[in-house]
Amino acid sequence: MARVGLVLEGGGMRGSYTLGILDVLLEEKLYFPYVIGVSAGACNAASYASRQAGRGQRIVETYLPDRRYLSLSNLLRKEHSMFGMDFIFNEIPAKYEQFDYDTFYGAGTRTVIGVTDVQSGQARYVENPRREVLNDYFRASSSIPLFSPIVTVEGGNYLDGGTSDPIPFDEALRHCDKVVVVLTRPRDYVKSAVPIMGLYRRLLRTYPDMVKTIRLRHEVYNAQRKRLATLEKEGRALVFYPEKMDVDVFEKKPERLHAVYEEGAAQARTQMAALRGFLSDAENMLKK
């Protein structure tokens, strides 16, 4: 019998594709006991682990037009972040789309959040952090270099988890035998080198290892995609890829994100038989 984990890539607003897949998993009562995500993938894992189907995309479509959620003014003013971090990680889960902390901690899911330590430039993985700092880790994992400030949590200084480990299946395979992976780029995508390294070097000059991680990110990402293809051939990975992806990290049109969400949901339904076949020998799927 195999242990199977769920791995979620980031990608900012491209994560609507992931949300479509996750909501179908919840409809089908497929509850992975181990879920790991970085950046938007980590945030999307939250509503999946708390069994709140529809919550993630409802937040996107409802609040994206609100400048507090995503705007250039956020970057230029108080928070110095394109995404309104206080609004997203404090106000929304407490006031507008309340997060079910009891289910999140009680359902039995091992939810792992990937962040990048700015001092070392290395990935760090935090499993089910205590409630008082949970949203701080989600925030840290989603803090894109240049577009968000460094986040300090429990004595550590962190940025976007997808910078150091864009597709964290290696960490998942330390705990699982097989993985289901949700990517937010098409199968033929190849990442290019960062074109503005000089700006990163200047703004992060006190963190040379973080700068190195950013410089090498495209190489790490492309190598991960190649290894993932090998895992698919070996039967150790089942991967969801969008057929196309026409939205970017900072997409502002809800109707475009709704279309991406529907693509993910439709693909999950189409591939449900293959997914259930992949999971047929899983020993650890949760029942609730």
Side-chain angles (χ1 to χ4, degrees):
M1 299 293 283
R3 298 168 297 169
V4 186
L6 179 62
V7 180
L8 307 176
E9 183 184 13
M13 304 313 298
R14 292 193 297 269
S16 283
Y17 169 79
T18 304
L19 289 169
I21 292 172
L22 295 180
D23 281 351
V24 171
L25 294 183
L26 290 176
E27 289 173 9
E28 295 288 328
K29 295 181 170 52
L30 291 176
Y31 306 132
F32 287 78
Y34 180 96
V35 183
I36 184 169
V38 292
S39 197
C43 298
N44 293 340
S47 292
Y48 172 78
S50 65
R51 311 290 189 259
Q52 291 177 276
R55 177 179 178 270
Q57 188 63 15
R58 193 164 57 246
I59 290 172
V60 169
E61 295 188 28
T62 301
Y63 296 104
L64 186 59
D66 191 319
R67 295 176 67 185
R68 293 176 296 174
Y69 190 96
L70 172 61
S71 67
L72 184 60
S73 63
N74 290 334
L75 181 65
L76 298 176
R77 296 177 183 174
K78 179 181 177 182
E79 286 193 272
H80 303 296
S81 173
M82 284 285 288
F83 288 99
M85 297 304 206
D86 288 336
F87 183 64
I88 293 172
F89 295 106
N90 295 332
E91 293 187 52
I92 288 178
K95 299 178 182 179
Y96 305 120
E97 285 285 348
Q98 293 189 349
F99 185 67
D100 187 346
Y101 292 94
D102 291 340
T103 299
F104 178 84
Y105 287 107
T109 305
R110 298 174 60 188
T111 304
V112 181
I113 305 167
V115 295
T116 301
D117 184 308
V118 298
Q119 197 69 48
S120 66
Q122 299 298 306
R124 181 188 170 197
Y125 310 97
V126 186
E127 180 178 325
N128 290 5
R130 56 193 176 89
R131 176 169 176 167
E132 292 78 9
V133 295
L134 176 64
N135 288 327
D136 293 329
Y137 277 111
F138 285 134
R139 177 174 182 161
S141 187
S142 304
S143 292
I144 304 170
L146 294 190
F147 297 99
S148 295
I150 293 169
V151 177
T152 300
V153 193
E154 296 186 313
N157 296 314
Y158 305 114
L159 281 170
D160 182 5
T163 306
S164 55
D165 192 1
I167 314 169
F169 60 86
D170 283 325
E171 177 63 18
L173 289 172
R174 292 181 59 245
H175 309 275
C176 305
D177 304 300
K178 304 195 302 184
V179 288
V180 173
V181 182
V182 181
L183 300 183
T184 58
R185 294 286 199 179
R187 184 180 287 271
D188 61 355
Y189 175 75
V190 177
K191 184 174 284 297
S192 300
V194 174
I196 52 171
M197 278 309 304
L199 185 56
Y200 283 105
R201 290 189 185 95
R202 186 166 77 250
L203 295 181
L204 293 170
R205 56 187 175 276
T206 56
Y207 302 104
D209 289 330
M210 184 70 198
V211 172
K212 180 180 178 181
T213 295
I214 294 170
R215 178 172 58 82
L216 297 176
R217 182 174 186 262
H218 70 291
E219 296 181 10
V220 171
Y221 183 84
N222 293 333
Q224 286 184 329
R225 294 283 294 245
K226 289 181 180 179
R227 293 206 316 278
L228 196 53
T230 299
L231 289 173
E232 284 186 278
K233 293 178 181 177
E234 294 172 350
R236 296 186 65 198
L238 185 149
V239 185
F240 287 94
Y241 299 87
E243 291 186 9
K244 60 179 181 178
M245 182 54 69
D246 296 329
V247 305
D248 62 21
V249 173
F250 301 121
E251 177 61 55
K252 282 288 291 181
K253 295 182 179 179
E255 65 273 15
R256 297 185 70 179
L257 295 175
H258 182 77
V260 170
Y261 171 84
E262 291 294 342
E263 178 188 349
Q267 192 171 347
R269 294 188 179 101
T270 299
Q271 294 184 224
M272 187 52 60
L275 176 59
R276 288 191 178 277
F278 185 78
L279 298 174
S280 61
D281 65 345
E283 67 176 10
N284 62 337
M285 297 299 286
L286 298 174
K287 303 300 182 183
K288 62 177 181 177

